[in-house]
Amino acid sequence: MLVSTHGDITSGLGVVEDDAVRLTSELIRIDTTNTGDPDTVVGERAAAEYVAEQLGDVGYEPTYVESGDRPGRGNVFVRLPGADPSRGALLVHGHLDVVPADASEWSVHPFSGAVQDGYVWGRGAVDMKDMLGMSLAVARRFKRENIVPPRDIIFAFLADEEAGGLQGSQWLVANRPDLFEGATEAISEVGGFSVTFKDGVRSYLVETAEKGIAWLKLKVRARAGHGSMVHEDNAVTKLAAAVARLGTHRFPIVMTDSVREFLAGVTEITGWEFPEDDLDGAIGKLGAISRIVGATLRDTANPTMLTAGYKANVIPSVAEATVDCRVLPGRQEAFERELAEILGPDVEREWISLPPVETSFDGALVDAMTSSITAEDPGAHVLPYMLSGGTDAKAFQKLDIRCFGFAPLQLPADLDFASLFHGVDERVPVDALKFGTRVLNRFLLSS
């Protein structure tokens, strides 16, 4: 590790912590809502230009790229040379877009970026403009103070993650792989956050795996007719029955290596047992995080949208539904067979699929994560876990990049962190941002 003469790795970090809070707040104020409909997406270009300006102010020469087949899907890249160019580069990536928010439901405006009551509030505060703010603040410090990390670091700020990255990371991997040249490992969102299980002992969860995404469009065709007549062949009725069967079905429990390792770690820390004959019940001991962990025990298929008809007295010839399917690593073929049995032969199926991600919890990068956290929180435990959702890691694993979720935050024990993702009153503690900035600074200088 080479460090400038400006001092050790923690000197002057108060300024960097404040910068992370400011940057997070200002990023939230830029509405980057991604509805999934290209005609209604806003703000990614504005956010990307803001990031490029912040990087350019300290001497970087950012690369701005628009991805996908529509203008405005902005992405920004900078590469900070490391001490050993022969080592693989580390990719630090995050997405600029956020899901929609209804301001009438919020205590503060979702795009205010308000800093109050010890939190930064707004859509994207935890998903994931907090990580953008932290990584941007650290990147600015390194350039401003001429700090040289051990290896090359690629900082990437990306579009369209909330709609599967098809117009963002997936497009970039297919069309601009040169932007990721030499990258062998990556970190991004939904990992490195703390969970307090018992007796005030904190564990930090590093994401080593995530379920596959399969967005499923169901379609039933039947004979159209007048709504006043008897119709045994009704597309709406057939589809509704199939969707109801699927929505109430429970897929079998499958213990993956990452989930088994996580539960073994919790048992070691707490003494809690997780018997496989009552795993669903035992998972409840984990508190708020049980919703995420519980969803990684089995495949899921949740109906989310229904579309049919155009007039009250017309029976339509077509009815459609959308199902959000999340599939465990190694389960895709078995999942599809089970799905076919549930739905039956009359329901057409069309897939948009993104694969699962899984890596092992070992190696120098994991050691650097662990030491960076315990340097700031002595006595803490670091555990691997599987994310029930998905991230841009699904694209980057195509480049043989080993992907982790590591956006460090030390959270209050009573904060229901899982509910904040895509939730009302999304917010991140200011102290957690400052903690994460210190950890990220250490990590990038020891990785």
Coordinates of all heavy atoms in Angstrom, one line a residue, residues 185 206-209 257-258 261 357-367 369 384-385 402-404:
E185 N -12.5 -8.4 -9.4 CA -13.4 -8.4 -8.2 C -14.2 -7.2 -8.2 O -13.8 -6.1 -8.7 CB -12.6 -8.6 -6.9 CG -11.8 -9.9 -6.8 CD -10.8 -10.0 -5.7 OE1 -10.0 -9.1 -5.6 OE2 -10.9 -10.9 -4.9
V206 N -22.1 -9.7 4.6 CA -21.5 -9.5 3.2 C -22.2 -10.3 2.2 O -22.3 -11.6 2.4 CB -20.0 -9.8 3.2 CG1 -19.4 -9.7 1.8 CG2 -19.2 -8.8 4.2
E207 N -22.7 -9.7 1.2 CA -23.4 -10.5 0.2 C -22.5 -11.3 -0.7 O -21.6 -10.7 -1.4 CB -24.3 -9.6 -0.7 CG -25.2 -10.4 -1.7 CD -25.3 -9.7 -3.0 OE1 -25.7 -8.5 -3.0 OE2 -25.1 -10.4 -4.0
T208 N -22.6 -12.6 -0.7 CA -21.8 -13.5 -1.5 C -22.6 -14.2 -2.6 O -22.1 -14.9 -3.4 CB -21.0 -14.6 -0.7 OG1 -22.0 -15.3 0.1 CG2 -20.1 -13.9 0.3
A209 N -23.9 -14.1 -2.5 CA -24.8 -14.7 -3.4 C -26.1 -14.0 -3.6 O -26.5 -13.2 -2.7 CB -25.1 -16.2 -3.0
D257 N -25.2 -23.4 -0.1 CA -24.0 -23.3 0.7 C -23.9 -21.9 1.4 O -23.6 -21.9 2.6 CB -22.8 -23.5 -0.2 CG -22.6 -24.9 -0.7 OD1 -23.2 -25.8 -0.1 OD2 -21.8 -25.1 -1.6
S258 N -24.3 -20.9 0.8 CA -24.2 -19.5 1.4 C -25.2 -19.4 2.5 O -24.8 -18.8 3.6 CB -24.4 -18.4 0.3 OG -25.7 -18.6 -0.3
E261 N -23.9 -21.5 5.5 CA -22.8 -20.9 6.1 C -23.2 -19.7 7.0 O -22.7 -19.5 8.1 CB -21.8 -20.4 5.1 CG -20.4 -19.9 5.7 CD -19.4 -19.7 4.6 OE1 -19.7 -19.8 3.4 OE2 -18.3 -19.3 5.0
V357 N -26.2 -15.3 -8.7 CA -24.8 -15.0 -8.5 C -24.4 -15.7 -7.2 O -25.1 -15.8 -6.2 CB -24.6 -13.5 -8.3 CG1 -23.1 -13.2 -8.0 CG2 -25.0 -12.7 -9.6
E358 N -23.2 -16.3 -7.3 CA -22.7 -17.0 -6.0 C -21.2 -17.1 -6.1 O -20.6 -17.4 -7.1 CB -23.3 -18.4 -5.9 CG -23.0 -19.0 -4.6 CD -23.9 -20.3 -4.3 OE1 -24.3 -20.9 -5.3 OE2 -24.2 -20.6 -3.1
T359 N -20.5 -16.7 -5.0 CA -19.1 -16.9 -4.8 C -18.9 -17.3 -3.4 O -19.8 -17.3 -2.5 CB -18.3 -15.6 -5.1 OG1 -16.9 -15.8 -5.1 CG2 -18.6 -14.5 -4.0
S360 N -17.6 -17.7 -3.1 CA -17.3 -18.2 -1.8 C -16.9 -17.1 -0.9 O -16.4 -16.0 -1.3 CB -16.2 -19.3 -1.9 OG -15.0 -18.7 -2.5
F361 N -16.9 -17.3 0.4 CA -16.6 -16.3 1.4 C -15.2 -16.5 1.9 O -14.9 -17.0 3.0 CB -17.6 -16.4 2.6 CG -17.5 -15.2 3.6 CD1 -17.6 -13.9 3.2 CD2 -17.2 -15.5 4.9 CE1 -17.5 -12.9 4.1 CE2 -17.0 -14.5 5.8 CZ -17.2 -13.2 5.5
D362 N -14.2 -16.2 1.1 CA -12.8 -16.5 1.4 C -11.9 -15.6 0.5 O -12.4 -14.9 -0.4 CB -12.4 -17.9 1.3 CG -12.7 -18.5 -0.1 OD1 -12.9 -17.7 -1.1 OD2 -12.8 -19.7 -0.2
G363 N -10.6 -15.6 0.8 CA -9.7 -14.9 0.0 C -9.3 -13.5 0.6 O -9.8 -13.1 1.6
A364 N -8.3 -12.9 0.0 CA -7.7 -11.6 0.5 C -8.8 -10.5 0.5 O -8.7 -9.7 1.4 CB -6.5 -11.2 -0.4
L365 N -9.7 -10.5 -0.4 CA -10.7 -9.4 -0.4 C -11.6 -9.5 0.8 O -11.9 -8.5 1.4 CB -11.5 -9.4 -1.7 CG -12.2 -8.1 -2.0 CD1 -11.2 -7.0 -2.5 CD2 -13.3 -8.3 -3.1
V366 N -12.0 -10.7 1.1 CA -12.9 -11.0 2.3 C -12.1 -10.6 3.5 O -12.6 -10.0 4.5 CB -13.4 -12.4 2.3 CG1 -14.0 -12.7 3.6 CG2 -14.3 -12.7 1.2
D367 N -10.8 -10.9 3.6 CA -10.0 -10.6 4.7 C -9.9 -9.1 4.9 O -10.0 -8.5 6.0 CB -8.6 -11.1 4.6 CG -8.5 -12.7 4.7 OD1 -9.5 -13.3 5.2 OD2 -7.5 -13.2 4.2
M369 N -12.2 -6.9 3.9 CA -13.5 -6.4 4.4 C -13.6 -6.6 5.9 O -14.0 -5.7 6.6 CB -14.7 -7.2 3.7 CG -14.8 -7.0 2.2 SD -16.1 -8.1 1.6 CE -15.9 -7.9 -0.2
P384 N -21.2 -14.2 5.7 CA -21.7 -14.1 4.3 C -23.2 -14.4 4.4 O -23.8 -15.0 5.3 CB -21.0 -15.3 3.6 CG -20.9 -16.3 4.8 CD -20.6 -15.5 6.0
Y385 N -23.9 -13.9 3.4 CA -25.4 -14.2 3.2 C -25.8 -14.1 1.8 O -25.0 -13.6 0.9 CB -26.2 -13.2 4.1 CG -26.6 -11.9 3.4 CD1 -28.0 -11.7 3.1 CD2 -25.7 -10.9 3.1 CE1 -28.4 -10.6 2.5 CE2 -26.1 -9.8 2.5 CZ -27.4 -9.6 2.2 OH -27.8 -8.4 1.5
R402 N -15.5 -11.5 -9.8 CA -16.1 -12.1 -8.6 C -16.8 -10.9 -7.8 O -16.1 -9.9 -7.4 CB -14.9 -12.7 -7.8 CG -15.3 -13.5 -6.6 CD -14.1 -14.0 -5.8 NE -14.4 -14.8 -4.7 CZ -13.7 -15.0 -3.6 NH1 -12.5 -14.3 -3.5 NH2 -14.1 -15.7 -2.6
C403 N -18.0 -11.1 -7.5 CA -18.9 -10.0 -7.0 C -19.3 -10.2 -5.6 O -19.7 -11.3 -5.2 CB -20.1 -9.9 -7.9 SG -19.7 -9.4 -9.6
F404 N -19.3 -9.1 -4.8 CA -19.7 -9.1 -3.4 C -20.6 -7.9 -3.2 O -20.5 -6.8 -3.9 CB -18.5 -9.0 -2.5 CG -17.6 -10.1 -2.5 CD1 -16.5 -10.2 -3.4 CD2 -17.7 -11.2 -1.6 CE1 -15.6 -11.2 -3.4 CE2 -16.8 -12.3 -1.6 CZ -15.8 -12.3 -2.5

